[in-house]
Amino acid sequence: MKLFEHEAKEIFRAFGMPTPPGGVARTSEEAKKRAEEVGKPVVVKAQVLSGKRGKAGGVKFADTPDDAARHAEEILAMRINDLPVEAVLIEEKLDIQQEIYVGVTVDRNARKYVMIGSSAGGMSIEELAEESPELIIKHHVDPFLGFRAFEARNMAIAMGFKGKNINRLGSFFIKLWQIVTKYDVELSEINPLILTKDGRFLAADARLNIDDNALYRHKDIIENLHREPAEMNERELKATAEGMAYVELDGDIACICNGAGLTMATLDAVALYGGQASTFLDLGGGSDKERVEKGIEIALQYDKVKAILVNIMGGITRCDDVANGIVAVRDDQGIDVPLVIRMVGTNEKEGQDILTKAGIPFLKTMEEAAAKVVELVKEVK
Amino acid sequence: MAVLVDKDTRVLIQGITGSQGTFHSNAMLEYGTKIVAGVTPGKGGESVNGIPVYDSVKNAKEAEDATASVIFVPAPFAGDAALEAITNDLNPVVLITEHIPVRDEMIVVHAAKAKGITVIGPNTPGIITPGAKQKLGIMPGHVFSEGVVGLMSRSGTLTYEIAAGMTNAEVGISTAIGLGGDPCVGLTAVEAVELFKQDPETKALVLVGEIGGDAEERAAAYIKNEYDLPVVGFIAGRTAPPGKRMGHAGAIISGSSGTADAKIKAMNAAGIQVAEKPSDVARILNELL
């Protein structure tokens, strides 16, 4: 679950990490008010769950409250990476001495958290890794000992800080680690962390993603946010509620399969034969008749879908259940796009008999099925 | 011969009284797996499919001399169950459960490492050695036939698809290991190749990967330097868009890392033939063997 910048900063402040003075605004009037409260030049920042908002024009400086209101109005009317901007954050424009990077993520190979710091903040960590990798300081956290104050100080020292700034910067790493352990954070970045000309350290930006698998132990956060954990359309909500993995794409062939790897491979096979998938829909293991019905129903609600490819490798999932589900959807509500079915494995014969009786053709290999659905889509077009 | 699981493996099922545990312990028994005990705290003294149930792993191990564990415990409690198995020196520990918090996974992986125990998964279909008629997991046993190819994969049904293709083409399997679809898993692809390298009966490998992370690149680098027998690869997600999780928690292209292209390139550079379609895997193996 991704948090908005202003939501993440609320958590940062609760743990004692200073952020620039300011507040959230959802209208231009509110933006003006926030800027008046700050009483200094401000920055107006789009609140979207997407990087690169600066490049999209979602960050603007304002010298007066009227300027802030005008910028807020523009930004609130924008869509960034196809997401609507529903709020802006108004904050004091800082007098920058130095931009710093502080972050934490999961290292999949080490299977440990890794704390990351750099004296050259402001740009993305990927860009930094290309331009000056020597400026990136990493520390893998011992899963049993956790992250300790001396390790935080060592990071600040390695980043080139001296004197009192060692502890001042170190405390951001410590607090970030406290947030990680408290909220099952999967990734967090303070980029930039700003050292002002008058010597203050402030978290000027904030990114905080919580492990979706751990949300059950952080119900308090979700309640405080007063919003859904993710921005999802109606179909995504339905599929998620059913425990299916559902991703919408730009093509026109819905691929409904069981298992994530098989679904990806089916999308690839469709592309190999010249088609393009509209839908990744993994029904999950042990799919019964109802699941198959619901999956097809959800897939049909996406207006880009011009054909459906069902590819089932029966294991726990039984082909007769799948066949019954397909027949039920067709008989109950009709399937008005070409349908190609490939299923093998457990109870294959029974399933194929059901389809044959219902007059629905099926194929034996996933390659034949992918080629067939691509051919049918071309006819529809 | 095989890796990790052979005819002497004595299996304990954690979470055996749940619906998944009951269903799959029955399927495992039918296949031939030597299940000696089950564990569900509070249900000691009961039995499931004729298997005695104990309150703790400690009790079950003492009474039935179990050597390995398969875990079907729901995600919020799965980390604890795995640590219980590790503490009692069961090896391997097969963690079937999906959706375990990554912080729990990290603790489990490193607790196992410290004791030299192999954790398979989480979010895995398990491990199967057809020659010993032992499966520790949820895969359909009949699609795997006995043979000389070691198979490792990050997915479930795609593995069955490839294994079924191999069986049809009369190419058998020594051991097939589901490495798991999560970003953090116990047994890595590199470690799996190391195990297969030490098994004299395994004459070739199949490495089934998918987008996300760089486990395949690491395995390819290891194979290039250390493994001399034929290896065939397959990568799912060639057409997956960046930034979207494709079903598995670990299957995501972040920025420019974790792409299928990078993996295929690394595999080709290591002399691994990468199949374009799942069905090509068996065909290429037949040519190589």
Side-chain angles (χ1 to χ4, degrees):
Chain A
M1 176 189 186
K2 293 177 178 174
L3 299 194
F4 287 106
E5 179 192 1
H6 67 91
E7 294 168 340
K9 282 182 169 170
E10 205 168 304
I11 293 176
F12 282 8
R13 284 192 295 273
F15 279 76
M17 252 191 249
T19 63
V24 181
R26 291 175 197 278
T27 62
S28 57
E29 295 78 39
E30 278 179 21
K32 186 175 175 182
K33 216 167 143 204
R34 294 289 97 77
E36 282 165 359
E37 286 160 7
V38 172
K40 291 178 186 169
V42 294
V43 55
V44 182
K45 296 194 276 186
Q47 298 297 286
V48 280
L49 298 175
S50 145
K52 310 227 158 50
R53 64 176 172 186
K55 280 176 194 146
V59 178
K60 288 191 167 126
F61 294 102
D63 287 336
T64 66
D66 283 332
D67 279 352
R70 207 164 37 246
H71 289 320
E73 192 162 0
E74 283 166 28
I75 292 173
L76 286 166
M78 289 168 76
R79 287 180 80 86
I80 296 180
N81 276 352
D82 212 29
L83 294 169
V85 181
E86 286 174 357
V88 291
L89 182 61
I90 312 286
E91 284 182 340
E92 182 187 325
K93 184 184 171 192
L94 300 171
D95 242 344
I96 300 171
Q97 182 186 145
Q98 185 176 357
E99 290 188 289
I100 300 157
Y101 177 98
V102 166
V104 60
T105 187
V106 174
D107 180 330
R108 300 168 59 136
N109 289 305
R111 290 152 300 177
K112 288 176 178 174
Y113 277 111
V114 56
M115 306 293 290
I116 305 169
S118 175
S119 57
M123 62 179 119
S124 82
I125 194 75
E126 289 85 10
E127 287 167 337
L128 188 59
E130 281 196 3
E131 278 183 27
S132 24
E134 73 286 354
L135 292 180
I136 298 177
I137 308 300
K138 288 185 181 178
H139 172 83
H140 283 90
V141 179
D142 184 298
F144 305 117
L145 295 177
F147 183 69
R148 302 285 161 175
F150 75 90
E151 293 166 327
R153 291 193 300 271
N154 284 347
M155 287 199 72
I157 294 167
M159 287 161 69
F161 289 84
K162 296 192 167 64
K164 283 185 178 162
N165 284 346
I166 292 170
N167 269 324
R168 284 180 182 155
L169 177 58
S171 79
F172 278 83
F173 283 106
I174 291 291
K175 283 161 186 163
L176 190 60
W177 177 250
Q178 288 167 353
I179 295 169
V180 166
T181 51
K182 166 95 187 191
Y183 290 120
D184 282 288
V185 170
E186 186 176 67
L187 180 144
S188 182
E189 284 182 318
I190 308 170
N191 187 25
L193 171 71
I194 284 182
L195 173 57
T196 60
K197 287 191 177 142
D198 55 2
R200 293 175 296 152
F201 286 90
L202 295 158
D205 197 2
R207 186 172 169 196
L208 193 63
N209 299 355
I210 295 171
D211 180 2
D212 287 330
N213 288 342
L215 283 179
Y216 72 89
R217 41 191 188 207
H218 304 295
K219 295 213 170 82
D220 54 322
I221 290 199
I222 300 167
E223 276 166 26
N224 285 335
L225 295 179
H226 306 293
R227 67 171 174 94
E228 291 295 323
E231 290 179 5
M232 286 194 270
N233 67 34
E234 208 180 314
R235 300 172 296 276
E236 290 166 334
L237 280 171
K238 273 188 203 159
T240 306
E242 296 293 335
M244 301 171 187
Y246 177 89
V247 180
E248 291 185 347
L249 307 157
D250 293 329
D252 44 25
I253 297 168
C255 298
I256 304 176
C257 316
N258 61 329
L262 184 66
T263 315
M264 278 188 266
T266 305
L267 261 53
D268 295 349
V270 162
L272 203 60
Y273 290 99
Q276 221 190 340
S278 62
T279 312
F280 168 105
L281 203 170
D282 169 13
L283 294 169
S287 296
D288 55 11
K289 175 172 169 275
E290 284 71 31
R291 253 182 119 66
V292 174
E293 280 185 70
K294 285 206 179 99
I296 296 176
E297 276 174 36
I298 293 168
L300 282 170
Q301 286 163 13
Y302 184 31
D303 56 13
K304 285 195 174 165
V305 174
K306 291 209 175 71
I308 291 179
L309 170 56
V310 177
N311 181 18
I312 300 292
M313 178 72 212
I316 321 162
T317 303
R318 290 166 30 182
C319 292
D320 51 337
D321 279 345
V322 174
N324 281 324
I326 294 167
V327 173
V329 185
R330 190 200 59 176
D331 292 350
D332 294 351
Q333 59 175 69
I335 298 175
D336 54 0
V337 297
L339 177 68
V340 175
I341 295 156
R342 181 270 180 155
M343 53 180 202
V344 292
T346 311
N347 293 5
E348 180 177 324
K349 181 79 180 57
E350 291 86 339
Q352 292 174 352
D353 286 347
I354 293 165
L355 289 180
T356 307
K357 217 174 277 174
I360 299 172
F362 57 85
L363 294 160
K364 278 259 186 181
T365 73
M366 103 181 227
E367 287 81 9
E368 286 171 314
K372 181 78 187 166
V373 77
V374 171
E375 184 191 315
L376 291 176
V377 155
K378 281 184 184 146
E379 286 171 18
V380 176
K381 281 175 176 172
Chain B
M1 277 296 289
V3 302
L4 293 169
V5 168
D6 60 22
K7 62 180 182 23
D8 298 324
T9 307
R10 293 171 63 82
V11 180
L12 176 149
I13 310 285
Q14 288 175 261
I16 193 166
T17 58
S19 63
Q20 294 283 315
T22 302
F23 178 85
H24 288 293
S25 59
N26 187 47
M28 280 185 250
L29 284 175
E30 281 180 357
Y31 181 73
T33 308
K34 282 185 193 132
I35 305 178
V36 297
V39 167
T40 297
K43 301 222 168 155
E46 295 184 9
S47 82
V48 172
N49 302 319
I51 305 158
V53 179
Y54 295 84
D55 285 319
S56 71
V57 172
K58 184 167 181 282
N59 289 351
K61 192 190 172 191
E62 276 167 10
E64 309 291 347
D65 200 21
T67 63
S69 178
V70 183
I71 299 176
F72 289 97
V73 173
F77 318 106
D80 184 66
L83 291 174
E84 188 180 359
I86 291 162
T87 301
N88 286 285
D89 297 307
L90 295 180
N91 190 13
V93 174
V94 182
L95 197 39
I96 305 291
T97 312
E98 189 180 357
H99 301 306
I100 300 176
V102 71
R103 199 147 60 91
D104 299 2
E105 292 176 354
M106 291 189 271
I107 297 276
V108 166
V109 167
H110 289 283
K113 255 180 157 6
K115 296 191 82 172
I117 288 170
T118 300
V119 169
I120 298 172
N123 192 7
T124 172
I127 176 168
I128 181 168
T129 296
K133 281 283 159 204
Q134 291 261 46
K135 72 163 183 164
L136 279 64
I138 61 173
M139 63 287 274
H142 66 272
V143 305
F144 297 84
S145 57
E146 182 181 354
V148 298
V149 179
L151 172 62
M152 67 211 109
S153 170
R154 275 167 66 188
S155 75
T157 46
L158 178 58
T159 310
Y160 316 158
E161 174 86 37
I162 288 169
M166 289 169 64
T167 297
N168 286 338
E170 294 180 355
V171 183
I173 284 167
S174 56
T175 296
I177 310 172
L179 299 171
D182 280 4
C184 287
V185 294
L187 184 72
T188 64
V190 169
E191 288 165 345
V193 177
E194 280 173 3
L195 289 172
F196 280 120
K197 189 186 168 192
Q198 289 155 25
D199 173 29
E201 301 295 322
T202 298
K203 310 282 188 209
L205 295 181
V206 173
L207 176 55
V208 182
E210 62 189 31
I211 54 161
D214 64 354
E216 292 82 1
E217 286 91 326
R218 285 170 184 259
Y222 179 81
I223 287 165
K224 190 176 183 181
N225 296 324
E226 304 285 338
Y227 193 80
D228 298 330
L229 297 170
V231 183
V232 179
F234 180 81
I235 300 290
R238 290 172 189 239
T239 55
K244 301 260 189 195
R245 272 183 215 280
M246 304 303 277
H248 284 153
I252 182 164
I253 298 169
S254 341
S256 58
S257 80
T259 64
D261 277 353
K263 293 171 191 299
I264 292 166
K265 218 175 262 175
M267 288 168 114
N268 285 332
I272 300 168
Q273 283 206 49
V274 182
E276 242 184 0
K277 309 186 288 282
S279 61
D280 290 342
V281 173
R283 187 180 52 74
I284 297 171
L285 279 168
N286 254 333
E287 286 165 13
L288 294 173
L289 287 170

